[in-house]
């Protein structure tokens, strides 16, 4: 076993591909929220193509998909808009949501320390 092989999930040289669980998560997540939009992220050396779903309040989730065409097909079946994140970037509401969550986590950490 190589020094860093445990960080590759035991599959050296292979990326984990999208599966049915990834698609089911995206479908159920989108069904449970309002104003969902899809943002397709390109494949990298570490990760296959991914899709980020962002709700109108900025909450988001990310899962692997079977390529850009698969992402567009999934978005069409969900009847939600789909964007290429390299062209449009991420929506501001997503960054605002993350900032709010960070503040809430810090407040909770301080409460936990004071208790």
């Amino acid at each position: 076993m190589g020094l860093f092989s445990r960080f590759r999930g035991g599959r050296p040289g292979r990326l984990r591909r999208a599966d049915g669980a990834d698609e089911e998560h995206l479908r159920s997540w989108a069904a449970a929220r309002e104003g969902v939009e899809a943002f397709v992220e390109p494949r990298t050396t570490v990760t296959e193509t991914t899709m980020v779903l962002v709700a109108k309040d900025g909450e988001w989730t990310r899962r692997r998909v079977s390529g850009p065409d698969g992402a567009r097909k999934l978005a069409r079946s969900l009847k939600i808009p789909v964007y290429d994140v390299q062209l449009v970037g991420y929506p501001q509401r997503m960054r605002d949501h993350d900032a709010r969550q960070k503040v809430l986590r810090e407040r909770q950490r301080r409460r936990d320390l004071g208790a």
Side-chain angles (χ1 to χ4, degrees):
M1 174 189 269
L3 180 61
F4 295 105
S5 60
R6 71 175 167 221
F7 298 116
R8 291 186 288 218
R11 296 168 62 183
R14 292 186 57 203
L15 300 176
R16 182 171 105 38
R17 304 245 183 235
D19 59 25
D22 292 321
E23 183 175 330
E24 181 53 38
H25 171 80
L26 293 170
R27 286 184 179 282
S28 62
W29 195 92
R33 287 158 183 84
E34 293 182 16
V36 176
E37 296 178 320
F39 295 84
V40 180
E41 299 174 314
R43 177 183 176 178
T44 68
T45 57
V46 179
T47 309
E48 288 292 334
T49 303
T50 52
M51 177 186 273
V52 177
L53 298 183
V54 183
K56 75 176 182 181
D57 67 352
E59 184 182 5
W60 60 275
T61 189
R62 173 185 287 120
R63 289 293 185 275
R64 290 172 181 89
V65 291
S66 59
D69 291 336
R72 286 178 189 74
K73 182 179 176 183
L74 177 58
R76 277 193 308 273
S77 74
L78 294 171
K79 296 183 171 88
I80 60 175
V82 61
Y83 306 100
D84 183 333
V85 79
Q86 290 182 303
L87 298 176
V88 300
Y90 296 100
Q92 183 63 45
R93 67 184 183 278
M94 182 179 168
R95 290 186 291 277
D96 293 344
H97 176 270
D98 286 350
R100 284 191 306 274
Q101 293 304 309
K102 183 177 178 181
V103 168
L104 293 174
R105 283 191 305 271
E106 180 60 23
R107 285 181 188 166
Q108 185 60 48
R109 186 186 69 79
R110 288 181 182 181
R111 273 189 291 248
D112 293 346
L113 289 175

